[in-house]
């Protein structure tokens, strides 16, 4: 692939050349896998997704122009899957499986388009929501986040001249080089790109993917971004996310049903997928509660992805649980993905080396690490913690507890109820940067 002069391209941005979202495939792979199950099992469930800025000190509505935001959101609604993309989805092998997507699902997907959105302002923040059938609204999450993050980056660089942009990207590239040099020292490392949702920009994410592909070779196992996987001949990686148990839990009728919801949704997932796609995300309502009540059959799954507790602490608890179930952790997989930087990756790798199979999903600190790179002082290029979460399902409030209370989302009364049902003693607050 021809290397792009990002600084020059950014300086000469035009609407037709560089829309922020260029394809409906410019999303995370797990969104398509979950979408197929939602389409097949929950076609009549309506949900609301809401933008949540956890970095409250950053007033997005003061940094990002509303007209530009609407322009980019409206453009995303015009996108359709191309014939080339549909052929690739139908014919490619994912996780060692051919035809992972059912022909009937692909036929439906061929006419897919993103539904309408609601955008307002309050107290310097954007309130962005997506209402409607779950099988349509779910695909708004990633493009909405990518649009807002890139618009914020563009706003920060608006006054930069060509030389300043050259300096900015030269420093960011040097920073990336230093990271790859350190990661190359870890034999058997497995790391992938998970950085779409909070990327600095599409062009920069593409550059980072190409840099890792060249810089660390076989240690780079792929990308969660489906378009980049297709364009760069990489593996498309990802399984499931918090929205599945969050919606399933919101639809329950009793505390007893709520307590079993995280496991029943995994049974639905297992009916659709198997093998290496059997990865557990345990922390939607607290990992301690999940492990405490988890049925034995979950020990047969491929692995876990701890996502909101410190990786070493979370990994140790899961290894202990496997051993209690009579399972050899060395045959299992831990996928670490929560706010990783190079220091965390190295520390976690060295701690668990030889004790369990490991993989790292590198997100924001891969695709949006521009701190101290600008030639003039600015904090607008610093990444923020921005999410788009399910907040309602069929009119009922949806909740995420997380292992870190700072990441909890939902109505306060419902959060209190979920804590009563699942317990909250082992949830520990720590600062959320990204």
């Amino acid at each position: 692939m021809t290397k792009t002069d990002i600084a020059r391209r950014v300086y000469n941005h035009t609407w037709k050349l560089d829309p922020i979202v260029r394809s409906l495939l410019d999303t995370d792979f797990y969104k398509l896998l979950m979408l197929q199950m939602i389409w097949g099992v929950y076609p009549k469930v309506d949900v609301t997704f809401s933008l949540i800025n956890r970095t409250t000190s950053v007033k997005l509505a003061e940094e990002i122009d509303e007209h530009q935001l609407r322009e980019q959101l409206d453009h995303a609604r015009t996108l359709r899957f191309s014939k080339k993309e549909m052929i690739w989805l139908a014919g490619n092998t994912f996780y060692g499986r051919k035809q992972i997507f059912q022909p009937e699902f692909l036929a439906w997907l061929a006419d897919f388009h993103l539904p309408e959105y609601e955008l307002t302002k309050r107290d310097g923040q954007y309130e962005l929501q997506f209402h409607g059938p779950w099988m349509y609204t779910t695909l708004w999450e990633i493009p909405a986040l990518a649009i807002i993050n890139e618009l914020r980056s563009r706003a920060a660089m608006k006054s930069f001249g060509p030389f300043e942009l050259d300096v900015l990207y030269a420093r960011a590239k040097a920073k990336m080089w230093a990271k790859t040099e350190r990661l190359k020292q870890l034999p058997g490392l497995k790391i992938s790109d998970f950085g779409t949702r909070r990327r600095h920009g599409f062009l920069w994410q593409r550059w980072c993917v190409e840099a890792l592909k060249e810089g660390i070779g076989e240690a780079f196992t792929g990308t969660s971004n489906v378009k980049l996987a297709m364009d760069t001949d990489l593996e498309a990686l990802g399984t499931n996310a918090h929205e599945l148990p969050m919606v399933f839990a919101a639809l329950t009728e009793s505390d007893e049903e709520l307590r079993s919801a995280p496991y029943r949704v995994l049974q639905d997932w297992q009916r659709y997928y198997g093998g290496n796609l059997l990865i557990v995300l345990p922390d939607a309502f607290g990992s301690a509660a999940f492990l405490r009540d988890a049925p034995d059959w979950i020990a047969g799954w491929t692995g876990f992805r701890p996502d909101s507790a410190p990786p070493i602490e979370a990994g140790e608890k899961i290894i202990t649980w496997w051993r209690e179930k009579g399972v050899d952790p060395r045959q299992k997989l831990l996928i670490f993905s929560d706010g990783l930087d190079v220091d965390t990756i190295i520390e976690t790798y060295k701690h668990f080396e030889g004790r369990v199979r490991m993989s790292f999903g590198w997100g924001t600190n891969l695709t949006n690490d521009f701190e101290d790179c600008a030639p003039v002082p600015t904090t607008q290029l610093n990444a923020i913690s921005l999410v788009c979460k399910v907040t309602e399902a069929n009119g009922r409030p949806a909740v995420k507890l997380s292992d870190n209370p700072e990441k909890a989302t939902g109505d306060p009364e419902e959060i209190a109820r979920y804590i009563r049902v699942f317990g909250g003693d082992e949830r520990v607050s720590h600062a959320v940067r990204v």
Side-chain angles (χ1 to χ4, degrees):
M1 182 179 291
T2 302
K3 293 291 190 293
T4 300
D5 185 336
I6 299 177
R8 290 290 180 269
R9 183 77 161 262
V10 167
Y11 185 70
N12 294 303
H13 267 317
T14 64
W15 170 247
K16 290 185 178 180
L17 180 63
D18 284 315
I20 291 174
V21 178
R22 299 142 200 260
S23 162
L24 287 175
L25 273 193
D26 186 10
T27 192
D28 283 338
F29 187 53
Y30 74 77
K31 296 299 293 192
L32 295 181
L33 292 174
M34 291 193 302
L35 176 59
Q36 178 169 236
M37 192 177 91
I38 294 165
W39 166 84
V41 183
Y42 311 108
K44 295 183 180 179
V45 173
D46 285 350
V47 306
T48 296
F49 277 83
S50 302
L51 182 74
I52 301 170
N53 179 13
R54 295 190 293 221
T55 310
T56 55
S57 60
V58 172
K59 305 296 184 184
L60 289 172
E62 297 173 4
E63 294 189 6
I64 296 172
D65 178 77
E66 182 178 349
H67 172 74
Q68 292 180 2
L69 176 54
R70 290 186 180 275
E71 198 173 37
Q72 295 287 346
L73 293 169
D74 290 341
H75 170 73
R77 294 196 64 226
T78 70
L79 297 173
R80 304 292 185 273
F81 289 98
S82 70
K83 289 183 179 179
K84 175 185 175 182
E85 291 168 344
M86 296 303 299
I87 291 170
W88 185 79
L89 286 173
N92 198 48
T93 298
F94 301 101
Y95 284 92
R97 290 178 53 184
K98 291 185 177 180
Q99 296 182 326
I100 200 169
F101 296 110
Q102 302 168 18
E104 297 83 1
F105 169 70
L106 292 175
W108 173 81
L109 195 66
D111 295 322
F112 181 91
H113 63 276
L114 293 168
E116 295 181 357
Y117 61 88
E118 292 184 8
L119 178 66
T120 57
K121 294 179 182 178
R122 178 181 295 181
D123 299 328
Q125 301 289 358
Y126 282 115
E127 293 190 347
L128 178 60
Q129 293 190 320
F130 310 99
H131 308 279
W134 190 11
M135 60 185 184
Y136 286 94
T137 55
T138 185
L139 283 197
W140 254 126
E141 177 187 0
I142 307 302
L145 292 172
I147 285 169
I148 291 174
N149 278 291
E150 184 161 351
L151 281 176
R152 184 168 179 264
S153 298
R154 291 185 181 188
M157 299 183 295
K158 186 177 181 180
S159 63
F160 288 13
F163 181 58
E164 289 173 311
L165 288 169
D166 272 335
V167 171
L168 173 73
Y169 285 105
R171 288 176 176 174
K173 288 178 179 180
K175 201 174 187 180
M176 182 66 182
W177 173 261
K179 293 177 181 180
T180 60
E181 287 293 286
R182 295 179 67 193
L183 293 174
K184 283 164 64 174
Q185 307 306 311
L186 306 179
L189 175 70
K190 300 296 181 185
I191 193 165
S192 56
D193 159 44
F194 275 21
T196 300
R197 66 184 59 218
R198 298 196 194 106
R199 67 193 182 196
H200 168 82
F202 172 81
L203 295 175
W204 181 249
Q205 183 184 16
R206 188 175 69 182
W207 186 91
C208 290
V209 165
E210 292 171 342
L212 281 179
K213 190 175 181 181
E214 179 180 328
I216 62 175
E218 292 184 357
F220 184 49
T221 56
T223 173
S224 66
N225 186 293
V226 192
K227 176 172 173 54
L228 290 176
M230 182 181 74
D231 290 347
T232 60
D233 195 28
L234 285 167
E235 291 289 329
L237 299 173
T239 52
N240 54 73
H242 297 107
E243 71 180 88
L244 290 181
M246 288 174 67
V247 171
F248 206 96
L251 299 177
T252 58
E253 299 289 347
S254 66
D255 288 355
E256 183 178 352
E257 286 187 4
L258 175 59
R259 192 174 291 108
S260 65
Y263 315 114
R264 287 190 287 132
V265 76
L266 292 181
Q267 289 176 320
D268 284 344
W269 182 263
Q270 188 166 262
R271 280 193 287 269
Y272 263 77
Y273 306 110
N276 291 330
L277 286 162
L278 296 181
I279 301 295
V280 180
L281 185 61
D283 68 315
F285 311 122
S287 295
F290 183 94
L291 294 173
R292 181 191 65 227
D293 297 331
D296 290 346
W297 55 264
I298 289 177
W301 279 38
T302 302
F304 279 68
R305 179 165 73 90
D307 190 54
S308 58
I312 290 176
E313 174 189 316
E316 287 292 352
K317 290 179 179 178
I318 294 167
I319 285 175
T320 297
W321 182 82
W322 273 324
R323 286 175 175 157
E324 290 172 351
K325 297 295 181 180
V327 172
D328 183 356
R330 292 173 297 178
Q331 306 303 315
K332 295 298 180 179
L333 175 66
L334 288 176
I335 301 174
F336 299 101
S337 62
D338 181 32
L340 301 177
D341 57 24
V342 172
D343 289 337
T344 307
I345 292 169
I346 293 173
E347 180 186 14
T348 305
Y349 170 93
K350 290 182 176 179
H351 181 86
F352 289 111
E353 186 179 11
R355 299 174 58 205
V356 67
R357 293 162 53 213
M358 281 179 286
S359 179
F360 296 87
W362 199 8
T364 311
N365 287 309
L366 167 65
T367 61
N368 200 358
D369 184 7
F370 280 76
E371 288 192 26
D372 302 321
C373 291
V376 293
T378 179
T379 59
Q380 266 188 274
L381 285 167
N382 295 354
I384 62 174
S385 185
L386 191 69
V387 295
C388 187
K389 293 292 184 183
V390 175
T391 50
E392 284 188 354
N394 282 355
R396 299 180 179 185
V399 167
K400 178 190 173 191
L401 290 183
S402 175
D403 289 328
N404 179 3
E406 302 301 321
K407 286 189 169 185
T409 61
D411 175 78
E413 291 187 7
E414 279 296 289
I415 288 177
R417 175 187 168 227
Y418 276 56
I419 291 174
R420 174 173 56 79
V421 170
F422 291 104
D425 293 343
E426 296 190 42
R427 297 170 67 236
V428 179
S429 291
H430 54 273
V432 178
R433 292 192 62 221
V434 293

